[in-house]
Amino acid sequence: MRKVSLNPTADQTFEIVGEGPYDFESLLARSRRMERTGDVEGACNERFRAVQRLEELLGEDEEVQLEWSHRNTRAALETLHASAVDHFLIDDFELSAALLELLLDLDPEDHLEGSVLLAFDYVALDEQEAFDEVVNDISDKYASRELLLLWSSFRRDGRLPEGELQRFRTRFAPYYAEFVAADHPADDAYLRDIESARPTEAAQARELWLRTENLWRLWPEFVAALRG
């Protein structure tokens, strides 16, 4: 007998109330501890098994929206997002995209901003129509949106649109500087900065590079074009 239930709320969402393998809050915390102690593969496997259980629980018969304010339910959404990141980092863009599409179905308000990573997945997969739809959900205040527009255009046409490039250079100058730099060390100075209460734009730019570095190993010509 499964020790789990999907409980409806007055807001037409559902809460996941569960124990053991459905205690997503404990499971996510355990996977994070495994990461910190160096068992990255084990942590990724733990999260993906949890995602599989979540999919089995939800089924395919009806649309379900999950309740963000409920701790265990929020942890389930966070686990789903984390597994999408795991698959992105091993270049499994197709599965990463599928997990993020599920995340957005379950959490249409996109509390975890999964649409940003989904847009990177779509460009990597050369699914430009899907990219065009999801990029509109990303605020133009984000440097990642400008970077995505540049990369998408480069993948389509083999060149960078001058207007977008100029905007990236000026409005998001620390990000442009990071992406054309020769080195991107995750050194102590960076870690102190990014983990502080108010990280600098330079640190946030390096974080974006490090989170997407696998893309630029696969498509180095894009970074070369940015450098001119």
Side-chain angles (χ1 to χ4, degrees), residues 33-63:
R33 289 194 298 272
M34 293 169 72
E35 265 185 332
R36 287 194 294 271
T37 58
D39 187 6
V40 175
E41 183 178 356
C44 294
N45 290 336
E46 184 95 346
R47 288 191 284 264
F48 188 56
R49 285 192 294 268
V51 167
Q52 290 174 314
R53 288 194 296 273
L54 175 63
E55 291 178 315
E56 291 171 1
L57 173 64
L58 297 172
E60 300 178 356
D61 296 333
E62 59 180 316
E63 292 185 7

Side-chain angles (χ1 to χ4, degrees), residues 124-145:
L125 293 166
D126 205 20
E127 294 185 10
Q128 297 289 1
E129 290 185 9
F131 168 79
D132 289 340
E133 291 181 11
V134 76
V135 76
N136 291 326
D137 296 328
I138 303 172
S139 171
D140 61 6
K141 296 179 181 178
Y142 288 4
S144 54
R145 185 178 191 275

Side-chain angles (χ1 to χ4, degrees), residues 25-167:
E25 194 173 7
S26 296
L27 183 148
L28 182 61
R30 183 167 64 250
S31 76
R32 296 303 190 199
R33 289 194 298 272
M34 293 169 72
E35 265 185 332
R36 287 194 294 271
T37 58
D39 187 6
V40 175
E41 183 178 356
C44 294
N45 290 336
E46 184 95 346
R47 288 191 284 264
F48 188 56
R49 285 192 294 268
V51 167
Q52 290 174 314
R53 288 194 296 273
L54 175 63
E55 291 178 315
E56 291 171 1
L57 173 64
L58 297 172
E60 300 178 356
D61 296 333
E62 59 180 316
E63 292 185 7
V64 173
Q65 292 184 19
L66 297 182
E67 179 54 49
W68 176 255
S69 65
H70 183 256
R71 289 177 61 175
N72 193 55
T73 311
R74 181 169 65 249
L77 293 168
E78 290 170 337
T79 302
L80 180 55
H81 181 264
S83 189
V85 172
D86 293 339
H87 286 88
F88 173 83
L89 292 174
I90 61 171
D91 305 336
D92 190 347
F93 306 118
E94 189 168 352
L95 184 50
S96 177
L99 295 178
L100 290 166
E101 288 166 352
L102 174 60
L103 176 66
L104 292 174
D105 286 342
L106 299 174
D107 178 32
E109 293 186 31
D110 196 11
H111 290 89
L112 295 167
E113 298 185 338
S115 55
V116 176
L117 186 60
L118 181 56
F120 279 109
D121 280 326
Y122 282 153
V123 181
L125 293 166
D126 205 20
E127 294 185 10
Q128 297 289 1
E129 290 185 9
F131 168 79
D132 289 340
E133 291 181 11
V134 76
V135 76
N136 291 326
D137 296 328
I138 303 172
S139 171
D140 61 6
K141 296 179 181 178
Y142 288 4
S144 54
R145 185 178 191 275
E146 202 65 42
L147 180 67
L148 279 159
L149 291 170
L150 283 165
W151 187 37
S152 173
S153 294
F154 188 79
R155 290 221 65 194
R156 293 182 212 226
D157 306 324
R159 60 184 180 82
L160 298 174
E162 190 56 41
E164 296 289 352
L165 181 57
Q166 182 62 20
R167 178 181 168 86

